[in-house]
Amino acid sequence: MEFKILMLALGLVLVLEGIGPLLFPNKWRRYLKEVSEQNQDVLRRLGGALVTAGLVLLVIFS
């Protein structure tokens, strides 16, 4: 059961991640270029914030 939930969650992440490039490829390309030019500390803070938000959601809804 846990493996099935993990695979469902991974599938949902892939669907959500694919919506941007599927519907707005030019905007997505510009966004990636802009993000790649950001300072390393900014990217680390963004990544940390996303991981924290994800963990909070997992704790709340589990």
Side-chain angles (χ1 to χ4, degrees):
M1 183 70 172
E2 291 176 14
F3 183 73
K4 182 179 178 181
I5 292 172
L6 180 64
M7 290 296 105
L8 288 171
L10 180 60
L12 181 59
V13 167
L14 292 173
V15 167
L16 292 174
E17 286 288 328
I19 289 174
L22 175 68
L23 298 178
F24 310 104
N26 291 328
K27 287 183 182 181
W28 187 256
R29 183 177 290 126
R30 279 185 263 136
Y31 169 74
L32 288 179
K33 183 179 179 189
E34 188 175 315
V35 168
S36 70
E37 294 171 353
Q38 292 294 317
N39 186 348
Q40 186 175 4
D41 292 334
V42 172
L43 293 176
R44 279 203 174 118
R45 278 189 236 133
L46 176 63
L50 291 171
V51 168
T52 302
L55 288 173
V56 168
L57 288 172
L58 285 173
V59 168
I60 290 172
F61 291 104
S62 65

